[in-house]
Amino acid sequence: MKERVVVTGMGVISSIGKNINEFTASLKVGRSGIGRIYNAFDPPISVSIAAEIQGISFDAYLEGCAYSTEIPPGFTNEVKQCARRAPFAVQGSITAAIEAWSHAQLFKNTLAPERVGIIIAGNNLTEHYQYGLYEKFKQTPEYLSPTYALHYLDTDQVGILSQIFKIRGEGFTVGGASASGNIGILKGFQLIQLGLVDVCMVIGSMAHLSPMELQGFYNIGAMGGKRFINEPEKACRPFDREHEGFIYGQASGCLVLESFKSASAREVSKLAEISGGALVLDGNHLSDPNEAGEIRAMETALNQALIDTYDVNYINTHGTSSPKGDEIELKAIRKVFKRKTLDIWINATKALTGHCLYSAGVIEAIATIIQMNEGFVHPNINLDNPIESDFKFSGKELTKASIPIALSNSFGFGGINTSIVLQKVK
């Protein structure tokens, strides 16, 4: 028998909430985090709207943590020493991780460090950090900070987070473009099933893009926002006839995965069970979505979880708001679930958060678990004219719903297709 894997902690910082409580409240009312880009770029670029994280400083967050009775004395001082000058994406990961670690009661109910692992989901995590240093480097290269040699590496996050949380088990980064978050969850799931660790912290790292990446996405026609430039909250429109492309979103998310046995021994709450998942390629190096690959990912995940299509109640779709991507995903869902599509709730968290890229899978897993536990489906606020009629899309307001079993999809450029199965713990 393989180890059962459950979620015992969650943490998030995003444009619609700087913690799980705020994030949940935003999901319930359908609050969009999309607006005008806060700081204009020089030179100007074609992208002017995004779902950015605003209104929180890392130092202020740590000050608040210092007063928590759950956090050990001296912890925040060590965090400051490790990460005060770290890139913004690293600080976002730490923020989400502290909340998830505390949520899982791991500050006061500890495990052997060798039985804890860490996975950072995402790749090319320092684009904005590198871009911001380039002008100064051109003028005086000898004054480039020595820490740059560490901070530009994706593995910097593994090192910093493992030091802060005293993690001594396996640790690595996984890159899969927009599917990175789901891949991180799958690899953490597998580490626990193999018995290599009892707990695995999975962090979906923020994609802190520079103007170059944003302009690049725009130039290949992947980004939307042209038609609704003066109404940015309406720009992300998954499955709506006026969808144009994805809207960039910033978020960091953290899930603490744990073996059922370990969670039971520690007597901590089990928020959900990960009962299966799949990562499949469709042999394509471009950005095109692939119906066959998406079908295979969903079918493989369900087969691994021993779940019948008739048992699924909800799908948190990849739903990027891109015309071709939305169309292909619905075709794939119809092939997998057939007439059952009229009975399965469907929405897309990206309608509220924008497309969080590397962290999208983790953010959407968190949103799915919240909806499962609190019995609702969050609104699809901009779905005015669906591109298909034979699906049970969520409406413009919260809908109460029972969700024992859910699917969460993430698909990435380069033919990467993933799907995970989440269910209430029995």
Side-chain angles (χ1 to χ4, degrees):
M1 291 289 291
K2 291 182 179 178
E3 289 279 3
R4 292 174 65 186
V5 179
V6 295
V7 177
T8 55
M10 302 192 298
V12 68
I13 177 168
S14 73
S15 63
I16 65 168
K18 62 179 182 293
N19 54 49
I20 290 294
N21 287 340
E22 289 185 7
F23 186 76
T24 300
S26 293
L27 290 179
K28 287 181 174 178
V29 299
R31 185 173 79 83
S32 171
I34 299 168
R36 290 278 184 179
I37 287 179
Y38 189 66
N39 290 313
F41 295 117
D42 183 21
I45 61 171
S46 304
V47 181
S48 60
I49 63 174
E52 295 180 292
I53 295 173
Q54 298 179 31
I56 181 170
S57 96
F58 187 59
D59 283 350
Y61 178 81
L62 292 180
E63 279 293 317
C65 289
Y67 297 103
S68 171
T69 57
E70 297 182 2
I71 294 177
F75 175 80
T76 55
N77 288 334
E78 182 170 358
V79 174
K80 287 178 183 178
Q81 290 173 7
C82 286
R84 175 167 275 166
R85 291 184 174 83
F88 183 46
V90 176
Q91 294 179 346
S93 293
I94 293 168
T95 301
I98 290 172
E99 183 180 21
W101 197 259
S102 179
H103 194 189
Q105 299 183 39
L106 283 164
F107 281 116
K108 58 184 179 182
N109 194 343
T110 59
L111 291 169
E114 297 78 14
R115 298 299 301 167
V116 182
I118 181 169
I119 296 173
I120 304 296
N123 50 288
N124 304 323
L125 301 177
T126 56
E127 288 108 336
H128 196 282
Y129 172 71
Q130 293 173 282
Y131 181 87
L133 292 173
Y134 185 61
E135 282 301 318
K136 186 179 289 186
F137 172 76
K138 284 199 302 182
Q139 296 168 17
T140 53
E142 65 272 17
Y143 284 106
L144 182 69
S145 170
T147 60
Y148 176 78
L150 301 175
H151 285 331
Y152 92 90
L153 297 168
D154 289 348
T155 50
D156 186 47
Q157 293 212 28
V158 176
I160 289 176
L161 272 294
S162 65
Q163 180 175 338
I164 289 171
F165 294 97
K166 310 293 189 293
I167 294 170
R168 301 289 185 268
E170 287 205 16
F172 49 89
T173 65
V174 294
S178 301
S180 296
N182 263 11
I183 295 173
I185 294 169
L186 284 168
K187 294 303 146 187
F189 171 75
Q190 290 166 357
L191 284 180
I192 293 170
Q193 283 206 320
L194 289 169
L196 298 174
V197 295
D198 297 317
V199 166
C200 188
M201 176 189 280
V202 178
I203 295 175
S205 180
M206 181 195 311
H208 191 203
L209 303 184
S210 83
M212 288 181 65
E213 287 78 52
L214 292 172
Q215 187 66 50
F217 279 127
Y218 184 91
N219 288 354
I220 64 168
M223 298 194 81
K226 308 173 192 70
R227 191 174 307 161
F228 295 94
I229 191 72
N230 296 317
E231 298 176 286
E233 71 283 355
K234 295 183 180 180
C236 195
R237 313 180 67 83
F239 310 114
D240 187 79
R241 293 189 184 279
E242 293 191 90
H243 52 185
E244 300 177 305
F246 82 83
I247 304 299
Y248 165 56
Q250 292 179 343
S252 297
C254 180
L255 290 172
V256 173
L257 309 187
E258 188 164 359
S259 73
F260 187 94
K261 183 178 178 181
S262 173
S264 297
R266 293 198 308 117
E267 299 182 334
V268 294
S269 296
K270 304 175 184 74
L271 306 174
E273 180 170 0
I274 300 172
S275 51
L279 160 62
V280 303
L281 303 180
D282 58 52
N284 171 23
H285 79 285
L286 299 174
S287 61
D288 300 339
N290 181 277
E291 183 181 340
E294 295 180 15
I295 290 169
R296 195 155 58 93
M298 287 185 277
E299 288 182 339
T300 304
L302 291 169
N303 288 338
Q304 186 188 95
L306 303 177
I307 297 291
D308 189 272
T309 54
Y310 281 88
D311 296 323
V312 176
N313 314 99
Y314 166 69
I315 302 173
N316 195 322
T317 61
H318 185 56
T320 60
S321 185
S322 66
K324 191 170 184 180
D326 288 355
E327 179 185 339
I328 293 295
E329 186 169 12
L330 290 184
K331 284 183 177 180
I333 291 171
R334 185 185 288 114
K335 287 283 181 66
V336 173
F337 293 93
K338 301 180 174 61
R339 294 184 181 179
K340 173 70 173 171
T341 57
L342 290 168
D343 300 321
I344 301 172
W345 284 108
I346 289 177
N347 67 7
T349 300
K350 292 181 181 71
L352 306 178
T353 63
H355 190 349
C356 299
L357 300 172
Y358 318 137
S359 65
V362 174
I363 298 299
E364 288 155 25
I366 290 170
T368 300
I369 292 168
I370 289 169
Q371 290 171 95
M372 291 175 72
N373 285 323
E374 301 212 12
F376 73 94
V377 176
H378 76 67
N380 235 7
I381 56 172
N382 296 320
L383 187 57
D384 295 324
N385 298 296
I387 59 174
E388 298 284 354
S389 59
D390 54 344
F391 290 87
K392 191 179 181 181
F393 294 112
S394 61
K396 289 182 174 290
E397 295 182 355
L398 173 150
T399 305
K400 291 183 178 179
S402 173
I403 308 174
I405 299 174
L407 208 63
S408 185
N409 291 337
S410 284
F411 311 126
F413 287 176
I416 302 169
N417 307 283
T418 70
S419 189
I420 60 171
V421 182
L422 295 157
Q423 64 183 101
K424 286 188 172 181
V425 180
K426 297 178 181 177

